[in-house]
Amino acid sequence: MANKDAFLESIKNGYTFKGEHFKLGCAMLDGEVVTGADVFLPLKMMNRHGLIAGATGTGKTKTLQIIAEGLSDASVPVLLMDIKGDLSGIAAAGTDNPKIAERYQKIGGTWSAAAYPSELLSLSQEKGVRLRATVSEFGPVLLTKILELNDTQGGLVAMLFKYCDDNKLPLLDLKDFKKILQYCSDAGKADMEKDYGKISTTSTGTILRKVIELEQQGAELFFGEKSFEVDDLMRISDDGRGMISILRVNDIQDRPKLFSTFMLSLLAELYATLPEEGDMDKPKLVMFIDEAHLIFNEASDALLKQIDTIIKLIRSKGVGIFFCTQNPMDVPASVLGQLGLKVQHALRAFTANDRKTIKQTAENYPLSDFYKTDDLLTQIGIGEALITCLNEKGVPTPLAATMLTSPRSRMDVLTPAEIDGLVNNSKLVKKYSQVIDSESAYEILTAKLQDAAEKTAAAPAAQTGKGKEEKGMFEQVLESSAMKQAGRTAANIITRSLLGALGLGGKSSKKSWF
């Protein structure tokens, strides 16, 4: 009994917070729920990032759903990466059943069904708000990292962006970038080398092949207009709850480069556009990345380094990032060390490597006088987890084996008809549904080359006055097409120059991606 009393006092002291908080469950000792040992999460520390891990079928997705609901109820917007396609049900009310009633008899409190304000987003042809960004907004540094170019090739990309800026040639989609690559290695090479230095045809060929590889993963759907504005991720619904944006990426699991491109660009744009906030009472946005190994397993060293850097710095912008994965070892140690909240569901020990992973995982948690952590990791049941977070002073809370609450929304997917209804009623779908193909580098350079070819065919080239003729043609192109894009190009230069502080970009006056 003394042990139980000490345990209850430890949990109460560790999980009592002054600021806003919400209940995640009730702590257990020796497999039994201890009445009154409630485990809460403080909103103030939700920008310290977190991890939800555990074997298949242990309840990770439902835990993600519970935390997202608690944040929404507290007026915190949420972004969910729905890799498996099983998170859309958060937009519909759940259904009561005997198992839920039994659970709440143990942990205390009451359960009520609730649907949450939701928005469906898409990187591909899935139904929902289309997410796009222009190549120019993406910038040469980030594009170089995504294409995994060396320093020489990266320098050439930077030079091409500079040439396009100087000559008012907007880079909107991948066909624009491919066209300038072709132009600089053929008809425009001599002219460009006068002012910008030697251009290696080998390098341009390599870059072009890398771009084509990115296209094969569906990137042509991602680059273009209209650019998505990150402010649209941080909306509050009419009833005061935080909007839950569900990015449906279940159709790009076999295209990890596209997913990594999106993730890094989104993090970079959030960092670039949001002001420094310091310690807030609650975050501006919390992002959940399901199946996080898709980012880390396929990412290059340069990409991992940039993700690590942004995760360390974006906390001060009021943004929290949560990774959800089967094995906590999927997350690099440098990133794992930045995660304040850890929710560890059961692990399975089928092999010697599994037992080694369990031992390493146990060592990542605070020492406990009440648990033998490595044994407990294989014994906790479905809907139960080991939890530790940071209190409002930044100190880790006691380890608590917790029986979790149940999601109030549907623990299943939406029907096709429900998805159609959600999309049809969305204001953002109407805002971003139209594909815009503005006049850009592709059209301008194509017109220039066609004009030159026609004039060459119409009359023998006269050496006298030839330079004057070419100059007049080029000025005409600028006046008729590109000058209309000058304002947007200037804004992109500002974005990319400020992004340089991170090696990605920095504060941009335009609230759009990258």
Side-chain angles (χ1 to χ4, degrees):
M1 180 61 110
N3 191 46
K4 184 176 180 180
D5 290 340
F7 176 77
L8 179 59
E9 183 180 0
S10 173
I11 296 299
K12 282 187 173 181
N13 291 339
Y15 290 90
T16 298
F17 307 109
K18 295 180 180 179
E20 286 188 73
H21 54 272
F22 62 91
K23 185 175 178 177
L24 192 57
C26 193
M28 302 183 297
L29 182 64
D30 298 327
E32 298 293 331
V33 173
V34 177
T35 302
D38 293 333
V39 174
F40 298 98
L41 294 185
L43 290 176
K44 184 178 178 65
M45 307 307 289
M46 294 298 285
N47 65 337
R48 263 56 170 191
H49 314 315
L51 173 71
I52 302 171
T56 300
T58 55
K60 298 188 302 298
T61 301
K62 300 302 175 283
T63 300
L64 185 158
Q65 198 169 337
I66 293 166
I67 299 176
E69 289 177 356
L71 290 166
S72 178
D73 286 334
S75 300
V76 177
V78 175
L79 173 62
L80 304 178
M81 306 294 173
D82 190 7
I83 302 292
K84 300 190 294 290
D86 54 358
L87 287 172
S88 61
I90 204 167
T95 304
D96 198 0
N97 62 61
K99 289 184 178 180
I100 292 178
E102 180 183 355
R103 179 173 292 261
Y104 275 79
Q105 283 180 354
K106 295 178 180 179
I107 66 176
T110 57
W111 182 90
S112 59
Y116 283 80
S118 303
E119 189 79 64
L120 298 180
L121 313 178
S122 174
L123 286 173
S124 60
Q125 301 290 3
E126 288 276 4
K127 293 180 180 179
V129 181
R130 287 287 301 277
L131 305 187
R132 299 185 188 88
T134 67
V135 172
S136 189
E137 290 166 339
F138 210 70
V141 177
L142 195 54
L143 189 61
T144 294
K145 294 182 184 300
I146 292 301
L147 296 177
E148 299 179 15
L149 305 178
N150 60 31
D151 291 343
T152 300
Q153 295 159 354
L156 177 55
V157 170
M159 183 272 284
L160 292 177
F161 271 75
K162 180 68 166 62
Y163 176 82
C164 290
D165 289 341
D166 291 345
N167 291 279
K168 310 301 183 293
L169 301 173
L171 295 173
L172 302 182
D173 50 31
L174 286 182
K175 75 175 185 293
D176 291 326
F177 189 64
K178 288 167 63 179
K179 193 66 178 181
I180 192 64
L181 279 170
Q182 294 166 353
Y183 181 72
C184 77
S185 61
D186 189 10
K189 182 175 181 180
D191 181 58
M192 294 174 69
E193 286 186 340
K194 293 178 183 178
D195 298 320
Y196 299 91
K198 290 292 183 180
I199 297 173
S200 169
T201 304
T202 302
S203 292
T204 57
T206 300
I207 297 170
L208 184 57
R209 288 192 296 273
K210 293 277 190 178
V211 173
I212 292 173
E213 178 187 349
L214 193 61
E215 278 186 317
Q216 293 302 308
Q217 296 200 18
E220 73 278 359
L221 298 173
F222 177 59
F223 288 102
E225 294 184 303
K226 181 179 183 180
S227 295
F228 188 83
E229 299 173 6
V230 294
D231 278 351
D232 286 329
L233 294 176
M234 293 174 280
R235 295 180 298 140
I236 304 298
S237 67
D238 293 338
D239 62 6
R241 291 182 293 175
M243 184 67 70
I244 298 178
S245 300
I246 306 168
L247 177 59
R248 306 171 72 205
V249 287
N250 52 299
D251 60 337
I252 65 169
Q253 293 186 46
D254 58 344
R255 292 175 279 174
K257 188 177 285 280
L258 176 59
F259 186 59
S260 295
T261 298
F262 159 73
M263 277 307 309
L264 184 56
S265 59
L266 175 59
L267 292 175
E269 181 62 13
L270 286 170
Y271 184 85
T273 57
L274 295 179
E276 289 284 338
E277 298 288 358
D279 288 326
M280 306 175 65
D281 291 334
K282 54 187 176 183
K284 285 184 173 181
L285 175 71
V286 175
M287 183 188 312
F288 292 85
I289 305 172
D290 200 4
E291 302 296 330
H293 65 275
L294 289 179
I295 294 180
F296 296 115
N297 290 354
E298 300 293 337
S300 65
D301 290 341
L303 192 57
L304 286 175
K305 184 177 180 181
Q306 294 303 329
I307 291 175
D308 183 27
T309 299
I310 291 181
I311 287 174
K312 289 178 180 177
L313 299 176
I314 204 169
R315 177 198 65 78
S316 63
K317 305 282 188 171
V319 177
I321 303 170
F322 285 71
F323 300 99
C324 188
T325 187
Q326 292 185 19
N327 188 339
M329 299 299 110
D330 291 337
V331 181
S334 58
V335 175
L336 198 61
Q338 304 297 318
L339 310 181
L341 170 65
K342 294 188 177 76
V343 180
Q344 180 64 60
H345 288 267
L347 293 175
R348 307 301 181 212
F350 298 117
T351 67
N353 284 338
D354 291 339
R355 289 190 289 273
K356 183 178 179 181
T357 296
I358 290 171
K359 184 176 180 180
Q360 289 178 324
T361 300
E363 293 173 350
N364 288 328
Y365 287 86
L367 296 175
S368 174
D369 295 329
F370 305 101
Y371 304 123
K372 189 175 180 182
T373 307
D374 52 351
D375 289 342
L376 193 58
L377 280 172
T378 62
Q379 297 170 1
I380 51 179
I382 297 173
E384 301 172 358
L386 293 178
I387 293 174
T388 180
C389 64
L390 297 179
N391 65 21
E392 291 166 315
K393 295 182 179 179
V395 179
T397 59
L399 186 64
T402 305
M403 180 174 285
L404 302 169
T405 59
S406 299
R408 299 171 62 198
S409 56
R410 183 187 298 175
M411 291 186 277
D412 200 354
V413 299
L414 296 179
T415 65
E418 289 172 327
I419 290 175
D420 288 341
L422 198 59
V423 170
N424 292 337
N425 292 325
S426 169
K427 296 179 181 179
L428 291 188
V429 168
K430 298 178 178 66
K431 179 178 179 181
Y432 293 106
S433 61
Q434 183 180 0
V435 178
I436 302 173
D437 189 12
S438 303
E439 187 176 43
S440 53
Y442 179 85
E443 289 80 12
I444 295 171
L445 290 174
T446 299
K448 179 178 178 180
L449 294 173
Q450 288 176 346
D451 287 347
E454 290 172 1
K455 290 183 178 181
T456 300
Q463 294 300 322
T464 57
K466 181 179 178 182
K468 181 177 180 181
E469 178 182 324
E470 291 181 349
K471 180 178 179 182
M473 174 190 62
F474 189 62
E475 289 176 345
Q476 183 179 2
V477 173
L478 292 180
E479 291 174 357
S480 63
S481 304
M483 289 303 291
K484 299 177 182 178
Q485 307 292 339
R488 175 169 50 190
T489 303
N492 292 336
I493 297 172
I494 295 172
T495 299
R496 297 199 304 271
S497 63
L498 291 175
L499 278 175
L502 263 184
L504 297 172
K507 187 176 180 181
S508 167
S509 60
K510 181 181 178 183
K511 294 298 183 67
S512 63
W513 281 10
F514 331 131

